[in-house]
Amino acid sequence: MNGQNALMSPQDGAASGLDVSEAVRRSFGKTSWIVGPWQDLLLFVGTPLIILPVVLGASAAFSVEMIALVVASFGALGHHLPGMMRAYGDRGLFHRFKSRFIVAPLFLVTVCALFTVFDLHGLVLIAYMWGVWHGLMQTYGFIRIYDAKTGTPSAWTRRLDHWMCLVWFGAGVTLSPGRMYTVLDHFYRAGGPLLPGGTVAFARNATIALLIIVNVAFVWNLMREWRRGNPPNLLKILLMISSFGFWFYCSVGIGNILVGVALFEVFHDVQYLSIVWLFNRARVEKDPSIGEFTRFVFRRSGGMMGLYVGLVFAYGAINFVPRMMASALWADVLMGVLVASALLHFYYDSFIWKVHEKENREALGLKIGNDGGDGIRIPAWALSAFRWSFFVVPLSVLAVAQTLGVQEPVAQHENLARLMPGNHLALANYGSLLEDEGDYDSAVEYYRRSLEVRPDHAAAHYGLGTALKALGDLEGSERHLLQAIELDPEEARAFNNLGNLRFAAGEGRQAEAYYRKALGVDPRLFEAAQNLAELQRARGELEAAEAVYREFLATDDEFAPAHLRLALLQRARGELDAAVQHLEQAVELAPETAEMRVELGNTLGLRGDLEAAERQLRTALELDEGSVPARLALGIALERQGDLDAAAAQYRAADEAQPANPAGSLALGTLLQGAGDVDGAEAAFQKALEIAPTDAEVHMKLGVLYATSGRPAQAAEHYRKALDMRPDWALAHFNLANVLAVQERGDEAIRHYHRALELEPGMEQARANLAAVQRHLAGA
């Protein structure tokens, strides 16, 4: 309608009545569509009706994480490319905003790379908020296009349309348990101060009030304009209903935040990719200044449409590259570049697609001229500075805040649980943190509170199951772990923990079945692979255990702990060369981990490469000066090289590093005993006994020392104590039998020889000594 309509009086409008047929005719006329009825409904208005069954159907075949990753890559990241193509392929546009297109990427790539490398969470928070703003402004852009198709809306209509976008998209954040929790979590990680109680409740109440006020104002303005002879654009209203409704459903109505984000992202991407294709198609035909590349891609050709989609997918595939990079630093740098890509997309779209711009209106088939404008005209430099202030100021403040120090995680999550007492995520995540801290009783309380709010929260059932297991409630633990699996069949950790419960109950076959189910769901769950391999090793099935680690490494050849565990199995089988090879790979993958170097040093020592072993062990001590295993292993290597004083120094250092660990004293005592220093050895073993009076090995060492130094009574005493702690230790039975034989207590000696042979039938020396004692008794 033209401007004269605004001058009509209420009486004139009332006389004309609310002509529904006129509203329908104008809203769905031939010129009201961007492309055409079925195309617009498919690509812009009714898209959610197609997306919803497709994505939810895919979730039945693929994991939620996989769907989210694919959408984030080929959708969220991929759809940045068309905007970049417009910015750098449109010569006129590039020259108009040349400084922005050159300075902005340099600035954002540098900032985002630095923030990602230094793990400053403010970037994530700002990028998320910009993303929400970008989504609502795209919806507002389509609203403006559809209104411009039927006439020039009034200033109040434009403002209320904008406010409708603001309050509905804002409500999708503040009223969503998942999104609100995510925002506050990143805010606290970025150094934000803990908010006072009631803050979230106030924000939600304010949001609901604004929703009511703005929606009432929107309907009132719609009816007022209609009475004045400006019937509503029903196509625009359909778009608003589908966009706001789908956003709210994805944010608030879906419990899994990953599914909700993926659903709306697909809607956003389909709209964006479609409108950009149509826009550039029109530009190619009407504007000779378009660059050759853009002119080539956006020709009128089905093949070119395929190329367009292919380029988008290729750009999105870059998201997979950081996951494949060996260098964590360069992976972080590339992730920062990808964040910069998103921010550039948001920034460029804020000015290159303005509906009131002449070239944009022409390409979209709108009337040339002002569509009502945006009201007050602000100088370009001031508007640009204003936009950038919403990035630079909060990002700088949060960076300084995080650098100065953030609240402890326990305090953060306790505050979140207090701010959102009805939020199942806040309660369950606080419970998880309490469980990590060892406060299992409190963890159980918060898990139960989470389940009161959301009984079908699989993660809370899983956490409650693990916490109850720690408290000894195995029946309750199993019940909740099974519920977690019923709700989320992809919860591999629950299968693994059920395996642990069955293993603890002595049900090896059931445990193995659960471990294999865990690995079937998540082949990269190393804990399940290790548990399965350890179960098989305990059965003596070393080859099967080794196969488990090899299968794991087939899925992730760069996981150092898997190389370590495989090497330890190979070492147990005497395959020292193969073990060294895997340990060297483990060290290469985790060069700063002392444990890897200790085991490599041990294995090299067993192979006889004592100097190489010493080098690895000294490097391990540089990484972890207090490592007792490194001290002990280095002592053994030095001892085998004949440097007994240096070896003894390492054993004493092990004692100093961990005074409550008897290993250093035992090793020192063994060294001194071998050197003939009986008194020194006895002192070392007695020190170990003071530290660990119930350690069977300490008693065994003392028994051997006393037996070899001519004190059989004392030896027998310590052998008996060792057997009190380990009744099935064949060597202790054998040694005690030898001492008893020396003491002429033949019958008792025979009983212990027999017990030793029952435990280890291959102990030939026990068989020979038994025969000798029996002959002695028969001769007597």
Side-chain angles (χ1 to χ4, degrees), residues 248-260:
F248 199 77
Y249 170 72
C250 293
S251 301
V252 181
I254 295 180
N256 191 313
I257 188 172
L258 289 178
V259 175

Side-chain angles (χ1 to χ4, degrees), residues 28-50:
F28 301 109
K30 185 176 180 180
T31 61
S32 303
W33 308 92
I34 297 174
V35 188
W38 73 265
Q39 296 97 326
D40 279 35
L41 292 174
L42 178 68
L43 300 174
F44 308 128
V45 180
T47 321
L49 298 177
I50 300 168

Side-chain angles (χ1 to χ4, degrees), residues 436-448:
D436 291 341
E437 294 288 315
D439 188 354
Y440 299 110
D441 289 316
S442 298
V444 165
E445 175 191 349
Y446 277 92
Y447 285 136
R448 292 194 188 281

Side-chain angles (χ1 to χ4, degrees), residues 91-159:
R91 288 195 294 265
L93 185 71
F94 181 80
H95 286 295
R96 183 179 173 188
F97 300 109
K98 187 174 182 179
S99 60
R100 299 191 195 183
F101 291 142
I102 293 174
V103 175
L106 294 175
F107 171 70
L108 283 175
V109 166
T110 302
V111 169
C112 292
L114 288 172
F115 269 67
T116 305
V117 168
F118 290 101
D119 196 27
L120 297 173
H121 287 270
L123 178 65
V124 179
L125 181 62
I126 300 303
Y128 175 78
M129 300 308 294
W130 268 35
V132 174
W133 176 263
H134 171 72
L136 78 87
M137 288 306 293
Q138 177 169 300
T139 299
Y140 179 59
F142 276 99
I143 290 171
R144 294 288 297 276
I145 291 171
Y146 279 121
D147 253 354
K149 285 282 185 178
T150 58
T152 302
S154 69
W156 264 109
T157 298
R158 294 195 305 274
R159 292 192 188 101

Side-chain angles (χ1 to χ4, degrees), residues 367-448:
K367 295 177 182 178
I368 304 301
N370 188 6
D371 71 333
D374 290 327
I376 300 172
R377 294 295 181 183
I378 303 173
W381 64 267
L383 186 59
S384 183
F386 178 72
R387 288 196 185 103
W388 277 107
S389 69
F390 284 95
F391 177 76
V392 174
V393 173
L395 193 66
S396 301
V397 170
L398 291 172
V400 171
Q402 185 174 346
T403 303
L404 292 176
V406 300
Q407 294 285 341
E408 289 295 323
V410 174
Q412 292 178 23
H413 287 274
E414 181 183 17
N415 179 264
L416 289 169
R418 188 174 70 252
L419 286 172
M420 294 177 279
N423 186 311
H424 66 287
L425 292 173
L427 296 169
N429 289 341
Y430 183 42
S432 178
L433 191 65
L434 290 168
E435 185 178 357
D436 291 341
E437 294 288 315
D439 188 354
Y440 299 110
D441 289 316
S442 298
V444 165
E445 175 191 349
Y446 277 92
Y447 285 136
R448 292 194 188 281

Side-chain angles (χ1 to χ4, degrees), residues 644-645 647-657 664-665 668 672 687:
L644 301 187
D645 290 339
Q650 292 299 328
Y651 297 145
R652 291 189 178 97
D655 261 353
E656 292 173 5
S665 294
L668 178 60
L672 294 173
K687 182 179 179 182

